[in-house]
Amino acid sequence: MAFPDDPLSSRLQPEVPHAARIWNYWMGGKDNFAADRAAGDAVEQVYPEIVLMAKQSRRFLIRVVRHLAAEAGVRQFLDIGTGLPTMQNTHEVAQSVAPETRVVYVDNDPLVLVHARALMAETGEGGRTVHVDSDYHDPERILGEARKVLDFSEPVAVMFMGVMGYEPDLKVVSSIVNHVMEATPSGSYLVLWDGTNTTPAVVEGAERLAQNGGVPYILRSPEEIGSLFEGLEFVEPGLVQITDWRPEVAVEWLDAYGAVARKP
């Protein structure tokens, strides 16, 4: 891959495996380097279901965003830790339902930002899609930038899609989620899923990722993930494997749980 000689491109570090690019590789994308593919292959050798997880996580996102836009009437989305653009991204799904929808993506990976410059363009009929260069450990900056685009007097769907395992302390994760949700009004939604420590194979896969230069990823129990929704009202079917959230087709066991919940 060739990129312009600019500050973003200089941050790419192709020799270092990076989460967004590894995930892109598992999803069948081309925006990755040899180091990313090597780390991804190491995980897949002991946990081949990781490829299914990557693809099904996108199907979960599509179903959730379509539900929120079409059935719940949400017109604002804050997608934190978005990763590389692939098929049917949040803004594409939401704006296909309601073109006026506004979407703010948050990520600090330079390759994501390179793509963002091309893809995250202003749309018609009042809709907007923008990208914020930030890490979820700085929720106040995220909120400050999001307020330039989103109206926080109206409902916002806040999304953390398979990213919270990069923070090892569950209390910190809870604090981040609460900080963002406290800024949103009644009628807002939290959408969150993550990998779970529900089989030995997935745990070994996480260990292989770290051994091959990837950033360690903390797998948690479904109960720990469920605790992040405290004070919110689950949308049916509640906290389930992501393949069981209003599925289009049946999929076998997957070590990934998620939910959608409404702020009262």
Side-chain angles (χ1 to χ4, degrees), residues 84-96:
L84 283 161
T86 53
M87 63 168 188
Q88 297 189 59
N89 302 286
T90 299
H91 72 287
E92 293 169 320
V93 178
Q95 291 170 356
S96 71

Side-chain angles (χ1 to χ4, degrees), residues 17-239:
H18 193 283
R21 302 193 304 254
I22 296 171
W23 203 252
N24 175 264
Y25 173 55
W26 286 329
M27 291 188 71
K30 298 180 180 179
D31 297 309
N32 48 74
F33 299 106
D36 309 308
R37 295 189 288 273
D41 288 343
V43 176
E44 191 177 351
Q45 285 174 4
V46 298
Y47 186 65
E49 292 84 358
I50 190 64
V51 175
L52 178 63
M53 185 187 295
K55 294 178 179 179
Q56 285 298 321
S57 69
R58 181 50 54 119
R59 300 306 309 173
F60 173 65
L61 179 150
I62 293 168
R63 295 195 302 275
V64 166
V65 172
R66 185 177 293 128
H67 165 78
L68 291 175
E71 299 183 41
V74 175
R75 295 295 179 264
Q76 303 187 112
F77 291 79
L78 178 56
D79 189 342
I80 301 175
T82 178
L84 283 161
T86 53
M87 63 168 188
Q88 297 189 59
N89 302 286
T90 299
H91 72 287
E92 293 169 320
V93 178
Q95 291 170 356
S96 71
V97 175
E100 71 274 19
T101 301
R102 299 187 174 200
V103 178
V104 174
Y105 290 109
V106 180
D107 208 294
N108 66 344
D109 176 71
L111 187 55
V112 173
L113 299 174
V114 167
H115 281 276
R117 293 183 302 193
L119 294 179
M120 312 310 174
E122 189 162 340
T123 59
E125 299 185 42
R128 290 189 66 189
T129 304
V130 301
H131 205 292
V132 175
D133 181 0
S134 187
D135 180 271
Y136 60 56
H137 288 93
D138 192 358
E140 198 54 42
R141 168 175 161 73
I142 290 172
L143 291 169
E145 292 297 317
R147 287 189 178 99
K148 297 176 181 178
V149 178
L150 308 180
D151 178 358
F152 276 74
S153 68
E154 297 292 332
V156 178
V158 177
M159 303 168 62
F160 294 95
M161 308 296 274
V163 296
M164 296 314 253
Y166 294 113
E167 169 48 56
D169 190 333
L170 183 60
K171 291 182 179 179
V172 174
V173 173
S174 181
S175 175
I176 292 168
V177 173
N178 290 338
H179 191 134
V180 177
M181 290 306 298
E182 285 172 0
T184 66
S186 174
S188 294
Y189 290 84
L190 172 64
V191 183
L192 187 149
W193 80 268
D194 227 323
T196 52
N197 56 6
T198 36
T199 64
V202 72
V203 173
E204 186 177 357
E207 293 171 351
R208 283 289 187 93
L209 179 65
Q211 291 167 2
N212 284 269
V215 177
Y217 200 87
I218 306 303
L219 299 170
R220 297 187 165 93
S221 69
E223 292 75 20
E224 288 174 316
I225 292 174
S227 71
L228 301 173
F229 294 89
E230 185 175 357
L232 305 177
E233 300 170 344
F234 281 121
V235 173
E236 290 294 333
L239 180 70

